[in-house]
Amino acid sequence: MSWGTELWDQFDNLEKHTQWGIDILEKYIKFVKERTEIELSYAKQLRNLSKKYQPKKNSKEEEEYRYTACKAFLSTLNEMNDYAGQHEVISENMTSQITVELTRYVQDLKQERKSHFHEGRKAQQHIETCWKQLESSKRRFERDCKEADRAQQYFEKMDADINVTKADVEKARQQAQTRHQMAEDSKADYSLILQKFNQEQREYYYTHIPTIFQKIQEMEERRIVRVGESMKTYAEVDRQVIPIIGKCLDEIVKAAKSIDQKNDSQLVIEAYKSGFEPPGDIEFEDYTQPMKRTVSDNSLSNSRGEGKPELKFGGKSKGKLWPFIKKNKLMSLLTSPRQPPPPPPASASPSAVPNGPQSPKQQKEPLSHRFNEFMTSKPKIHCFRSLKRGGAAPEDFSNLPPEQRRKKLQQKVDELNKDIQKEMDQRDAITKMKDVYLKNPQMGDPASLDHKLTEVSQNIEKLRLEAQKFEAWLAEVEGRLPARSDQARRQSGMYDTQSPATVNNCAQDRESPDGSYTEEQSQESEVKVLATDFDDEFDDEEPLPAIGTCKALYTFEGQNEGTISVVEGETLYVIEEDKGDGWTRIRRSEDEEGYVPTSYVEVYLDKNAKGGGAAARTVTL
C-alpha cells in the first residue's frame, strides 16, 4: 500500500488532505491549551475557596477549631489546597509536554509538507515542459510532411505540363526534394523528442511521484502517530497525579474518621461550665397562720397576701435582677405591711397618746438580715451597664463563673511562664555573649551589655511577680489557699447560710442582656455588691408615677420595715392606693417611700399630679 502507486493521479487531493491533517493537529493543540487554562482556573478557585474558609488568626474562629469536627474541616481545607496544586501540575505538564512540543512539531511539519509538494510541483512542471516540446515537434513534423506533399504534387504537375520549361520543372523538383528532407528531419526530431518524453514520463509516474508521495505518506503517518502519543501523554499527565489526589482524598477520609463526638462534647463542657450548683428544692411556706407565718430561707420576700402569690413591682424594668434595686426602695417593697392597719386614734392628735398607734409589729425575717449585709458588703462585681459601656474586665477575671475563671487564670499563668522562660533564655544568651567579650575584648565591650542584662532581669522579676499574683488567684479558685480574712468569710457567709435555691436563683440570672457575666463567684458562689454602686448605675430609671396626693390626718410612726413615718398635716404623694388591705403607699422624697394606714391619711387622687424620686424596680420572685 503506497500513495505513490495507488494515488499517483491525486496530487491535489493529497495536498488538501495533508493540510486538513495539520488543521486537526492545531485544533488538538488548542483543545489542550484550553484544558490547561481550565485546570489553572479550577486550581485558583479551589485555593481561593480553601483560603476563604480558613480561620482568621487571633479571632474567635481560631478558638473554635479545637473541636475535632472543626479540625477535620481544617484538614479538608488544607487537603483541598494540595488538591488544587495537583491541578496546577496537570496544567504545567500538559503545557510543556503537549502544547509546546506539538506547536514546535506543527511548524516542522508545515515546512516538510511544503518541501514535498514543492518537489511534486517541480516534477509536474518538468513533465509538462517535455510534453510541450513533444507537441511542438509533432506539429512541426506534421507541417513539414504536408509541405513536402504539396511540393511533390506541384513538381508532378509541372513535369506533366508540356508548356513548362525544363528549368521550371527542375526548380520544382529541387523544391520537392528540399521539402522531403525537411520532413525527414522533423520526423527524426519528433521521434527523438518522443522517446525522451516517454522516458521522462515513466520516471515521473514510476519514480519521482511515488517517491514524493511516499514521503508525504510517511509525513502524514508520523503526524497521526504523534497525535496518538500526545493523547497518551494527555492521559498520563492526569494519571500521574491520581495517586497524590487519592492521597489527599484519603487524608480527608482520615480526618473525617478522626472526629470524636465525645471529645467535642467534653470541650463544650470545659468551655461553658460555670461551676455553679443546680438550685435545690423550694421549702413549703405555710399561709394558714397569717400572723405567725415564717418565711423560708429560700424566699426573697413575704407574700403580699391572699390572691397575690407573686411580688411584682410596677415599672419598666420588669425581669431585672433583684440585687440591683436600691436598698431603701427594695426593703420597703419586700417588707410592706401584711397585718391590718391600726385604727385611727381617739384623740385629736395621736402623737399625744403615750405609745400611740403604730404599724403592726412584724417579725424580722432572716432574709432582711442577709439582705442588709448583702447591700453593705464590699463590691466585687461590675454592673451590667458598665460592661455594656465597654468597661474593662477585672484583672483577676472575677466577672467570670468559677470554672471559666479558673481556665482563664491557668491560661494567663501559662502565658506568663512562657514569657519568663523567654526572658531567661535571653538573659543566658546575653551572659554568654558577655563572657565571650570578657575573653576576647576585641569582639566587643562587656560593659555595653550590662544595661541590657539589667533590663532583662527587671523584666523577669516583673513577670514573676505577675505570675505569683495570678497563681494566688488560681489557688484561691481551686481552694488550695487557707481561709481568707474575717471580712471575706463574713461576706461569703451571707450566701453560705442560704438554701441552694436562693443562691442558684441569683446564679441563674447572672447574665446581663448582652450576654456578659456580671457576678463574681468563688467556690462558695459569693456575690458581693455595694448598694451605692447600684444607685449610681440605675439613677436614670424612671420613677413610679404619682397618682395623687394625700394629707396626714394623724401622726404615724412607722417603726416596722416597709412603713414610713408621717406627721399630722403633712402633704405627700400617693403612688399606690389601698388594695383592700388597709394600707396606702406614699412617697415623701426621692429616697423615702413606704406604707401608712389608709385611715391615717386623706387621699386626693389626681391624674395630673407629678411625683419625684427614684423609680422602683419590677422584681418577680
Side-chain angles (χ1 to χ4, degrees):
M1 181 186 68
S2 174
W3 287 7
T5 57
E6 303 291 338
L7 303 175
W8 61 270
D9 58 345
Q10 300 297 321
F11 185 90
D12 293 338
N13 287 332
L14 285 180
E15 187 176 16
K16 293 178 181 179
H17 177 76
T18 53
Q19 181 60 46
W20 172 84
I22 292 176
D23 294 340
I24 287 294
L25 189 57
E26 290 179 338
K27 183 184 292 186
Y28 181 74
I29 294 173
K30 185 178 180 182
F31 160 75
V32 175
K33 185 177 181 181
E34 291 184 3
R35 165 71 189 277
T36 59
E37 292 174 355
I38 290 174
E39 293 292 341
L40 282 178
S41 177
Y42 182 50
K44 182 179 180 181
Q45 292 179 17
L46 284 179
R47 288 191 183 278
N48 292 338
L49 181 65
S50 176
K51 183 179 180 181
K52 177 181 178 181
Y53 286 93
Q54 288 283 347
K56 298 179 181 178
K57 294 183 179 179
N58 302 323
S59 66
K60 186 178 179 181
E61 290 183 4
E62 195 172 19
E63 297 179 2
E64 295 174 353
Y65 278 81
R66 65 178 182 271
Y67 297 101
T68 57
C70 294
K71 287 180 180 178
F73 179 52
L74 182 59
S75 178
T76 301
L77 294 177
N78 294 332
E79 293 301 330
M80 289 306 297
N81 197 49
D82 295 340
Y83 187 94
Q86 298 310 307
H87 284 278
E88 292 176 345
V89 170
I90 291 175
S91 176
E92 292 173 1
N93 290 341
M94 285 187 176
T95 300
S96 60
Q97 298 179 23
I98 300 178
T99 306
V100 175
E101 292 295 329
L102 284 185
T103 301
R104 186 183 302 115
Y105 175 72
V106 165
Q107 298 299 325
D108 296 340
L109 186 63
K110 288 181 178 180
Q111 292 295 330
E112 182 180 359
R113 174 181 174 276
K114 182 179 180 181
S115 174
H116 292 328
F117 281 98
H118 177 71
E119 290 180 3
R121 289 191 182 90
K122 186 176 180 181
Q124 282 183 337
Q125 291 175 358
H126 178 70
I127 198 67
E128 288 176 358
T129 302
C130 292
W131 174 257
K132 289 178 180 179
Q133 290 178 356
L134 177 62
E135 288 292 323
S136 177
S137 64
K138 180 179 178 181
R139 287 193 299 270
R140 187 170 60 254
F141 171 60
E142 180 182 8
R143 184 180 65 248
D144 289 344
C145 287
K146 289 179 179 181
E147 290 180 355
D149 186 54
R150 285 196 299 269
Q152 181 66 28
Q153 291 177 1
Y154 180 73
F155 168 70
E156 291 176 357
K157 182 180 179 181
M158 292 293 290
D159 187 46
D161 191 358
I162 59 175
N163 297 320
V164 179
T165 61
K166 187 177 181 179
D168 291 335
V169 172
E170 185 63 23
K171 183 177 180 181
R173 187 182 63 78
Q174 291 179 355
Q175 184 71 27
Q177 290 179 351
T178 302
R179 293 295 180 183
H180 279 290
Q181 186 61 42
M182 290 179 62
E184 290 296 331
D185 293 340
S186 297
K187 180 179 179 180
D189 187 42
Y190 170 67
S191 178
L192 181 63
I193 292 175
L194 179 61
Q195 293 177 0
K196 183 178 179 182
F197 173 78
N198 289 333
Q199 184 179 358
E200 293 288 342
Q201 183 175 251
R202 284 193 298 270
E203 290 181 358
Y204 174 79
Y205 287 111
Y206 294 100
T207 304
H208 297 309
I209 289 300
T211 302
I212 295 172
F213 280 14
Q214 185 65 30
K215 292 179 181 179
I216 295 174
Q217 181 181 353
E218 292 173 357
M219 178 193 71
E220 185 67 10
E221 289 175 354
R222 286 198 307 271
R223 178 192 67 80
I224 296 172
V225 171
R226 191 62 177 267
V227 170
E229 292 176 352
S230 298
M231 289 182 179
K232 289 181 181 179
T233 304
Y234 179 89
E236 288 299 323
V237 167
D238 259 343
R239 195 188 304 276
Q240 288 172 1
V241 300
I242 286 177
I244 303 177
I245 291 178
K247 186 177 180 181
C248 294
L249 298 178
D250 292 341
E251 289 296 325
I252 293 176
V253 174
K254 182 179 178 181
K257 291 180 179 179
S258 68
I259 295 176
D260 186 354
Q261 66 275 15
K262 298 297 183 183
N263 181 72
D264 286 1
S265 298
Q266 183 61 33
L267 290 176
V268 174
I269 294 174
E270 295 176 0
Y272 300 111
K273 181 180 179 182
S274 66
F276 296 121
E277 294 294 333
D281 296 337
I282 299 177
E283 296 182 6
F284 176 76
E285 297 185 12
D286 191 358
Y287 289 91
T288 59
Q289 298 178 2
M291 302 300 296
K292 297 180 179 180
R293 67 176 181 272
T294 59
V295 181
S296 66
D297 292 340
N298 287 21
S299 176
L300 294 179
S301 68
N302 295 330
S303 295
R304 292 290 298 271
E306 294 182 1
K308 299 181 180 179
E310 293 182 350
L311 180 61
K312 297 183 179 180
F313 306 103
K316 297 169 65 176
S317 305
K318 182 176 181 179
K320 288 195 176 180
L321 299 180
W322 63 268
F324 301 99
I325 305 175
K326 292 186 179 179
K327 175 183 175 183
N328 54 354
K329 297 178 182 179
L330 181 62
M331 294 309 299
S332 66
L333 298 176
L334 294 177
T335 58
S336 59
R338 297 292 182 269
Q339 298 180 0
S347 62
S349 177
S351 61
V353 180
N355 299 326
Q358 296 179 354
S359 61
K361 294 292 183 180
Q362 274 187 303
Q363 181 181 358
K364 193 167 186 177
E365 300 169 353
L367 175 62
S368 302
H369 294 284
R370 292 195 297 273
F371 191 76
N372 283 331
E373 185 177 7
F374 174 82
M375 298 304 293
T376 56
S377 61
K378 183 179 179 181
K380 292 189 73 177
I381 75 169
H382 296 262
C383 68
F384 296 156
R385 194 162 304 163
S386 64
L387 289 178
K388 280 185 175 181
R389 292 170 181 169
E395 186 181 12
D396 60 352
F397 305 108
S398 58
N399 60 316
L400 299 176
E403 183 66 21
Q404 302 300 319
R405 184 186 180 198
R406 182 193 65 77
K407 290 176 60 179
K408 286 290 186 180
L409 289 172
Q410 183 64 53
Q411 181 180 358
K412 188 67 176 179
V413 169
D414 295 341
E415 291 177 358
L416 289 172
N417 288 335
K418 289 181 181 179
D419 293 340
I420 290 173
Q421 185 61 42
K422 189 183 297 183
E423 293 291 337
M424 291 177 66
D425 294 342
Q426 187 176 1
R427 182 184 63 183
D428 294 342
I430 295 175
T431 303
K432 290 180 181 179
M433 186 178 294
K434 185 175 181 180
D435 293 341
V436 172
Y437 286 177
L438 289 173
K439 294 178 182 179
N440 301 287
Q442 67 276 9
M443 297 183 65
D445 184 12
S448 63
L449 301 176
D450 292 340
H451 176 70
K452 185 65 176 177
L453 195 60
T454 302
E455 182 181 350
V456 172
S457 300
Q458 292 176 353
N459 292 339
I460 293 175
E461 187 63 26
K462 290 179 182 179
L463 291 172
R464 282 178 176 171
L465 292 176
E466 191 78 8
Q468 291 174 3
K469 179 172 64 174
F470 281 94
E471 286 174 355
W473 284 331
L474 180 61
E476 178 184 357
V477 173
E478 295 179 347
R480 296 200 299 261
L481 290 183
R484 288 165 288 178
S485 62
D486 293 339
Q487 176 68 15
R489 287 198 301 272
R490 182 184 67 81
Q491 293 169 349
S492 62
M494 175 181 65
Y495 277 158
D496 292 341
T497 58
Q498 295 184 7
S499 65
T502 303
V503 175
N504 288 282
N505 186 33
C506 297
Q508 292 167 358
D509 293 336
R510 70 186 183 276
E511 292 186 1
S512 65
D514 59 353
S516 59
Y517 285 99
T518 57
E519 288 184 288
E520 176 193 357
Q521 293 287 347
S522 66
Q523 284 186 329
E524 300 85 0
S525 302
E526 297 174 297
V527 179
K528 303 175 182 180
V529 187
L530 187 61
T532 56
D533 287 351
F534 298 110
D535 292 344
D536 295 339
E537 292 297 334
F538 291 91
D539 279 345
D540 57 352
E541 296 289 342
E542 294 183 7
L544 285 176
I547 61 175
T549 59
C550 67
K551 180 180 180 182
L553 301 177
Y554 313 101
T555 297
F556 173 73
E557 296 180 2
Q559 297 181 352
N560 289 343
E561 291 181 350
T563 62
I564 186 173
S565 300
V566 296
V567 180
E568 180 182 354
E570 186 178 3
T571 301
L572 305 103
Y573 293 102
V574 178
I575 59 175
E576 185 178 335
E577 59 181 330
D578 191 349
K579 300 298 183 181
D581 54 1
W583 295 91
T584 298
R585 187 177 172 189
I586 64 173
R587 177 190 296 142
R588 173 180 289 110
S589 62
E590 189 172 315
D591 296 327
E592 292 186 80
E593 59 183 53
Y595 290 88
V596 296
T598 303
S599 58
Y600 276 56
V601 295
E602 183 176 1
V603 178
Y604 307 97
L605 295 179
D606 182 4
K607 295 183 179 179
N608 296 325
K610 296 181 180 179
R617 287 13 174 218
T618 298
V619 180
T620 302
L621 299 178

